[in-house]
Amino acid sequence: MESVQAQLDTIRKELEDQQLEQMRAQAAASQSQLAELQQQLEATRMELAERTAALEAASAELNTAGDSSSARVQQLEAQLAAVGEQLQDYEALKQAFTDVREENKKLYNTVQDLKGSIRVFCRVRPLGTTGDSADGCLDVGLEGQLAVYEREKDRRAVYRFDKVFAGNSTQAAVYEDVQTLIRSVMDGYNVCIFAYGQTGSGKTHTMTGSNTEDSSGRGINYRALDDLFALKAQRDQEMHYSIRAQMLEIYNESIRDLLVDNNSSSGGGPNVLQLLSTQPSGENVPGANKVEVTTTEDVLHMMRIGARNRHMAATNMNDRSSRSHQVLTIVVDGENRLTRARTHACLHLVDLAGSERTDKSGVEGDRLREANNINSSLSALGSVMHALANKQKHVPFRNSKLTELLQDSLGGNAKVCMLMHVAPEATSYGESVSTLNFGNRVAAVTLG
């Protein structure tokens, strides 16, 4: 029975791969047609501009000279008719360009949907980087496989995700696999990228980076904004975009603005913001600062302020442990220059606080309260994912500020990627298994 099921799974995967390749081919052909039309459109626009200028010059010459000869008038009328015909061709070409552009967007997003409504990746931190000298307990395999084992008890389990990044993977390699999802925000789709894992597993390194002054060390947050700036410039003739950013943290179930310097350590301080669940993403925290960003320098400046204000503390497992969830939201508003159609979408880049076993992290007092709130919030995120996976009528978004904040970006046509982070040391076996099991549950979710 198991062999039959395995054969069926193999056949199903082959069919899905064939369908994906067909859609990719169609998208590539559409992109080629789009580029050709864009060249034609620009050539026609330039020729039309030249003819219009020549006609205006001839008309001015005629008025100045007082030349009313029928031959000259007929010549000008013929030029005017030619310009009129070319104008009609230009309008038809613009419409064809718009139609192909829309078809290209649909094909592009269909390819993303075929890859999975929620994509689940896993990144393994390099062995020993936190000072733990224990042996490893993870093996990265082929085709998104990751084996975790416990030698003392002779236990071994194999997990499979959309992609597994080994400990030597670069920031550029990780971004390459999330880039297509991130770009969907420019087409009006809400997108969520989560970094999930135990404290000290490398989440902040993936999302922000360890050495942001060096471009190669920058994480997804910086690379995403640079990518969106490039797309904005590329589409400038067709679309007008504004890109704004806000940085929030959820600390002890309170929402705070990381772009404000008056963070207080306890709830109810001056920087605690209210959440309006009736408003769409990007507008549902009315008191939050939104900063218009247009250059890499703008982003670097904003991120420095946010990093300075985020709650951090030392624990037995991490000397700089994030004690809050950081949510960087990129709000993209677009307007089509031809049709005046408008889009509004948000890209949420979420650096989740690390899950932790309080007996192992050795926290107490305020740190213990923070850990309990973190674990409770992550549990609520798991409950939401479970409800979505089982198509439940009631999804408990309001069980935590995190899921309530991101509600309209975790369902419908939204695109979600969960980046699981695991520590490879044998001393983290239990936490790694817990993280990988969470990733398995998330992979079962189908949005829509």
Side-chain angles (χ1 to χ4, degrees):
M1 186 65 183
E2 289 181 0
S3 62
V4 173
Q5 184 62 48
Q7 290 177 7
L8 288 173
D9 289 342
T10 300
I11 293 171
R12 178 181 57 80
K13 188 176 185 307
E14 288 176 352
L15 290 173
E16 288 176 350
D17 289 344
Q18 288 175 8
Q19 186 182 12
L20 182 57
E21 284 304 314
Q22 289 174 357
M23 295 303 299
R24 279 176 172 162
Q26 290 181 38
S30 178
Q31 184 66 32
S32 176
Q33 184 182 5
L34 187 66
E36 184 179 343
L37 278 172
Q38 192 166 14
Q39 290 179 351
Q40 292 178 17
L41 189 64
E42 180 61 19
T44 304
R45 185 190 65 78
M46 291 179 65
E47 186 178 352
L48 183 59
E50 290 174 1
R51 288 204 175 191
T52 301
L55 183 59
E56 289 174 350
S59 179
E61 176 190 344
L62 183 61
N63 290 335
T64 301
D67 184 359
S68 58
S69 66
S70 60
R72 187 60 171 156
V73 170
Q74 288 176 2
Q75 182 184 9
L76 287 174
E77 287 177 345
Q79 289 181 7
L80 183 62
V83 170
E85 290 176 3
Q86 195 164 16
L87 183 60
Q88 290 179 354
D89 292 342
Y90 178 69
E91 292 298 331
L93 196 58
K94 280 203 302 186
Q95 186 59 50
F97 177 81
T98 301
D99 291 344
V100 173
R101 181 70 169 175
E102 289 303 312
E103 180 63 22
N104 183 263
K105 287 179 184 178
K106 289 177 182 177
L107 287 170
Y108 173 83
N109 285 290
T110 298
V111 168
Q112 296 310 308
D113 291 340
L114 284 171
K115 290 179 179 178
S117 297
I118 292 187
R119 306 205 72 195
V120 182
F121 299 146
C122 182
R123 190 177 193 183
V124 180
R125 175 175 55 68
L127 184 69
T129 53
T130 60
D132 189 339
S133 59
D135 292 336
C137 67
L138 301 173
D139 280 331
V140 177
L142 302 175
E143 301 296 327
Q145 289 185 329
L146 180 67
V148 56
Y149 50 86
E150 190 176 23
R151 286 194 177 92
E152 293 179 358
K153 298 182 180 180
D154 197 28
R155 288 194 294 191
R156 186 175 185 273
V158 177
Y159 296 84
R160 184 165 184 166
F161 301 108
D162 292 297
K163 186 73 175 280
V164 175
F165 299 96
N168 61 353
S169 60
T170 64
Q171 300 283 61
V174 174
Y175 184 73
E176 183 179 352
D177 272 277
V178 299
Q179 182 182 46
T180 49
L181 285 177
I182 285 171
R183 288 185 164 200
S184 297
V185 73
M186 301 293 273
D187 298 327
Y189 291 87
N190 286 336
V191 180
C192 252
I193 309 257
F194 291 95
Y196 181 98
Q198 75 178 82
T199 183
S201 58
K203 300 180 301 299
T204 299
H205 173 70
T206 294
M207 299 307 290
T208 302
S210 300
N211 178 16
T212 57
E213 297 304 318
D214 179 359
S215 61
S216 65
R218 293 174 190 166
I220 289 173
N221 294 348
Y222 294 95
R223 294 170 185 271
L225 279 160
D226 282 347
D227 205 11
L228 297 186
F229 295 154
L231 271 178
K232 177 183 177 182
Q234 181 183 327
R235 298 183 182 181
D236 186 60
Q237 287 192 354
E238 179 196 356
M239 296 287 297
H240 168 73
Y241 288 110
S242 73
I243 300 177
R244 296 171 295 155
Q246 69 179 26
M247 286 186 74
L248 305 175
E249 74 167 350
I250 300 174
Y251 174 73
N252 286 342
E253 282 302 287
S254 293
I255 299 176
R256 298 166 182 270
D257 192 340
L258 287 176
L259 300 182
V260 173
D261 283 326
N262 64 342
N263 269 334
S264 63
S265 60
S266 58
N271 191 23
V272 174
L273 303 175
Q274 299 302 310
L275 175 63
L276 297 181
S277 301
T278 56
Q279 298 299 310
S281 284
E283 308 296 336
N284 53 355
V285 187
N289 284 285
K290 292 189 188 70
V291 179
E292 186 165 359
V293 286
T294 58
T295 66
T296 301
E297 288 69 29
D298 292 342
V299 177
L300 286 167
H301 176 69
M302 177 190 69
M303 294 293 288
R304 287 191 196 103
I305 296 173
R308 184 173 68 232
N309 290 324
R310 188 178 183 186
H311 283 85
M312 310 286 286
T315 73
N316 289 348
M317 298 179 68
N318 188 357
D319 59 358
R320 278 188 57 80
S321 174
S322 303
R323 313 310 292 169
S324 65
H325 306 307
Q326 177 184 287
V327 183
L328 171 61
T329 297
I330 313 302
V331 184
V332 178
D333 290 296
E335 182 179 21
N336 189 296
R337 297 185 189 276
L338 303 179
T339 65
R340 299 303 174 191
R342 295 186 177 186
T343 60
H344 170 86
C346 290
L347 166 63
H348 303 286
L349 301 171
V350 188
D351 181 4
L352 294 168
S355 58
E356 61 184 83
R357 286 164 43 191
T358 54
D359 59 333
K360 190 172 180 179
S361 61
V363 293
E364 55 186 22
D366 286 343
R367 301 291 86 81
L368 179 59
R369 179 176 172 234
E370 292 165 353
N372 289 336
N373 276 304
I374 289 167
N375 290 337
S376 176
S377 179
L378 293 174
S379 176
L381 176 61
S383 296
V384 164
M385 292 299 178
H386 177 77
L388 290 170
N390 289 286
K391 302 292 185 182
Q392 293 178 6
K393 291 184 178 180
H394 173 68
V395 180
F397 289 112
R398 296 197 176 193
N399 282 5
S400 80
K401 290 296 184 186
L402 175 68
T403 51
E404 189 175 4
L405 175 69
L406 303 175
Q407 179 171 344
D408 67 354
S409 299
L410 294 174
N413 292 324
K415 301 181 185 299
V416 179
C417 177
M418 188 71 71
L419 276 160
M420 317 306 297
H421 290 74
V422 288
E425 293 84 11
T427 48
S428 294
Y429 171 84
E431 289 84 355
S432 294
V433 168
S434 176
T435 296
L436 296 172
N437 285 337
F438 182 85
N440 262 358
R441 292 196 298 273
V442 172
V445 178
T446 301
L447 302 181

